Amino acid sequence: MAAELHVELVAADRSVWSGEATLVVARTTSGDIGVMPGHQPLLGVLESGPVTIRTSEGGTVVAAVHGGFISFADNKLSLLAEIAELADEIDVQRAERALEIAKSETDAAAERRAEVRLRAVAAH
């Protein structure tokens, strides 16, 4: 059996995903980071962006994450997000409408959230 790490992706309002993985890629304030079993302990601030989780079964889970923290120690990775949605939960048409509205209102934060949601769906 390949080495694994336990992953918990939690949003402020719910547990989004939990399971075993071989690789997690997330965006932090220091840049993109990949975490595999045995990685050095870390604590970082998450930037808005897609998080990709390669599951132990060989599948891929993609989530749109908007801010929060990432923590890794003892092969346990915690992603504590302000907002997080799995790619297959995202309504693409709604995200596209939100992007257009944000652009017309010059709302940079809303535009970024909509773009991240659409990138997560595309990566899925």
Side-chain angles (χ1 to χ4, degrees), residues 8-120:
E8 293 283 337
L9 173 56
V10 180
D13 60 344
R14 67 186 177 120
S15 176
V16 178
W17 190 88
S18 176
E20 305 305 312
T22 58
L23 173 67
V24 176
V25 178
R27 175 154 297 173
T28 70
T29 54
S30 300
D32 289 349
I33 187 167
V35 179
M36 297 174 70
H39 195 283
Q40 291 295 313
L42 78 98
L43 179 61
V45 177
L46 289 170
E47 290 274 321
S48 292
V51 169
T52 303
I53 303 167
R54 303 273 186 234
T55 68
S56 297
E57 295 83 31
T60 301
V61 174
V62 179
V65 172
H66 308 281
F69 299 93
I70 184 171
S71 171
F72 181 76
D74 301 323
N75 275 337
K76 293 177 186 161
L77 180 71
S78 297
L79 298 151
L80 309 171
E82 294 173 27
I83 302 169
E85 300 172 88
L86 295 175
D88 55 8
E89 297 173 340
I90 295 171
D91 180 337
V92 174
Q93 291 177 333
R94 183 172 170 232
E96 289 171 342
R97 282 193 308 270
L99 179 60
E100 291 306 314
I101 291 168
K103 284 182 178 179
S104 69
E105 295 176 356
T106 61
D107 183 342
E111 186 174 340
R112 176 81 177 139
R113 285 190 303 273
E115 287 173 345
V116 167
R117 294 173 78 217
L118 292 170
R119 283 196 354 245

